[in-house]
Amino acid sequence: MIDVEAADKAAVFMQLCHAHGLALISLTDISGFIVGPDIEARAHVRHCCRMFGVASHLSVPFCTVITRKGYGLGAQAMTVGGFEGPVFTVSTGEFGMMARKAVS
């Protein structure tokens, strides 16, 4: 799962590759972003949104390989904002949106 440090590291890495014209390959196995009061107190949403902002400005090729699972916004962050964003997306596992539980 993506925490504050992982989001910052990914955003800086994408910026570095963009600056030097290096293509990116994302090997994705993620079940989403970490949630909860402790992580939210560290401005988790702001750090994760930085990944989306940086990814939206990439001009280098970006490819995604989903190795096991890719769910929710965490998977979208690892695929430059959506599954249609990369040059190609290959999945050897499963991917999709987070499931909602019915409230009774």
Side-chain angles (χ1 to χ4, degrees):
M1 298 187 99
I2 300 174
D3 62 2
V4 172
E5 291 81 14
D8 287 341
K9 185 176 181 179
V12 169
F13 183 72
M14 285 190 274
Q15 288 174 321
L16 183 66
C17 290
H18 173 76
H20 293 284
L22 301 171
L24 287 142
I25 297 176
S26 173
L27 301 175
T28 302
D29 179 9
I30 188 164
S31 56
F33 290 124
I34 293 177
V35 295
D38 294 338
I39 196 78
E40 295 303 328
R42 298 176 56 204
H44 185 247
V45 173
R46 179 175 53 88
H47 292 274
C48 291
C49 286
R50 182 176 173 211
M51 287 179 67
F52 287 101
V54 169
S56 70
H57 290 84
L58 288 177
S59 62
V60 296
F62 193 100
C63 307
T64 302
V65 178
I66 300 172
T67 58
R68 196 169 58 110
K69 59 185 170 182
Y71 290 112
L73 288 174
Q76 287 183 295
M78 295 297 292
T79 58
V80 293
F83 297 117
E84 73 282 344
V87 172
F88 70 83
T89 300
V90 177
S91 176
T92 60
E94 55 189 35
F95 64 93
M97 300 311 294
M98 298 299 288
R100 281 182 42 175
K101 289 185 177 181
V103 177
S104 50

